[in-house]
Amino acid sequence: DGGITQSPKYLFRKEGQNVTLSCEQNLNHDAMYWYRQDPGQGLRLIYYSQIVNDFQKGDIAEGYSVSREKKESFPLTVTSAQKNPTAFYLCASSISAYTDTQYFGPGTRLTVL
Amino acid sequence: GIQVEQSPPDLILQEGANSTLRCNFSDSVNNLQWFHQNPWGQLINLFYIPSGTKQNGRLSATTVATERYSLLYISSSQTTDSGVYFCAVEQASGTYKYIFGTGTRLKVLA
């Protein structure tokens, strides 16, 4: 089955700890994206990657880091510098950054205790 | 940056009713997508529609790029249509970044 997987589904973290969210796709898509969603709000772009070994900051990149060492993987690290990390995190991919439809994973709910 | 406004913010319908959701944007766009987010958080792409009209079953969408708006039509609504509908636009400056509206929360009653 082709698709995007995110793990874990729920994640709890103590303040001051870094945590890494996983995103994997087997759609052979070049472009991948990370979004953050707060309750009752739309999605905001954190980072995106148009191709392997390349990524760009989105609108709210502060306190986050990413890597794109493999085409199918785009992990997101939420660092202790992120002041309000509790949110729903969504990963997406598309055939290329120049086109069209974005496909989303099921999301990870991060709660900082 | 570009502003994306959706209306209405909330909508309650009886099963079988029709509805129109609107997305206004403040600048020229390259791309526009409509998504449905179900109660469990999963986003499903409904339409990729930078201009023109498309239909998929009970859903259809129209984008009038020159007037900077898009409409999503839901006919004969079902309880499974409940959730939040988002439009997302990519600014015409070619940033490859989508800006999401704040959504329309739809509840369909049986």
Side-chain angles (χ1 to χ4, degrees):
Chain A
D1 252 73
I4 302 176
T5 56
Q6 291 186 243
S7 61
K9 191 171 183 178
Y10 297 95
L11 189 55
F12 298 90
R13 182 198 107 173
K14 290 184 180 179
E15 233 176 289
Q17 289 180 337
N18 292 354
V19 63
T20 297
L21 281 57
S22 168
C23 177
E24 305 275 332
Q25 54 98 359
N26 61 4
L27 300 168
N28 200 32
H29 286 174
D30 282 328
M32 296 186 75
Y33 310 81
W34 273 107
Y35 292 92
R36 170 183 171 137
Q37 186 178 27
D38 293 288
Q41 301 297 313
L43 280 66
R44 292 183 290 166
L45 184 64
I46 305 172
Y47 269 97
Y48 63 105
S49 168
Q50 298 179 48
I51 201 165
V52 175
N53 292 323
D54 183 55
F55 49 83
Q56 287 80 38
K57 292 182 179 180
D59 300 314
I60 56 165
E62 187 176 347
Y64 300 97
S65 66
V66 294
S67 63
R68 186 87 188 276
E69 296 175 2
K70 297 187 295 183
K71 186 175 186 177
E72 58 270 23
S73 178
F74 191 39
L76 173 74
T77 297
V78 184
T79 75
S80 56
Q82 169 50 234
K83 293 178 182 176
N84 186 19
T86 295
F88 187 44
Y89 291 88
L90 288 151
C91 178
S93 71
S94 61
I95 292 173
S96 83
Y98 303 95
T99 60
D100 63 348
T101 306
Q102 289 192 357
Y103 297 89
F104 280 82
T108 292
R109 293 192 185 275
L110 173 63
T111 302
V112 175
L113 304 172
Chain B
I2 192 169
Q3 304 296 314
V4 182
E5 294 181 356
Q6 292 186 243
S7 60
D10 296 280
L11 188 57
I12 300 176
L13 298 174
Q14 207 64 41
E15 202 168 25
N18 302 329
S19 62
T20 301
L21 283 57
R22 187 177 181 102
C23 173
N24 291 333
F25 39 96
S26 60
D27 203 348
S28 300
V29 298
N30 277 343
N31 294 307
L32 186 147
Q33 297 185 65
W34 282 98
F35 294 91
H36 174 226
Q37 187 171 38
N38 67 22
W40 298 271
Q42 177 73 56
L43 268 94
I44 302 297
N45 183 281
L46 299 175
F47 294 102
Y48 167 75
I49 185 166
S51 64
T53 298
K54 289 187 177 179
Q55 180 154 8
N56 184 4
R58 296 181 296 104
L59 302 180
S60 63
T62 295
T63 297
V64 184
T66 53
E67 297 187 22
R68 299 182 184 171
Y69 73 89
S70 183
L71 302 174
L72 177 69
Y73 305 96
I74 305 174
S75 65
S76 304
S77 57
Q78 301 175 357
T79 55
T80 52
D81 295 331
S82 296
V84 185
Y85 290 81
F86 290 104
C87 76
V89 303
E90 183 208 352
Q91 203 161 357
S93 55
T95 61
Y96 314 125
K97 299 189 300 184
Y98 277 91
I99 306 299
F100 280 71
T102 53
T104 291
R105 188 172 300 272
L106 173 65
K107 184 162 188 176
V108 181
L109 304 175

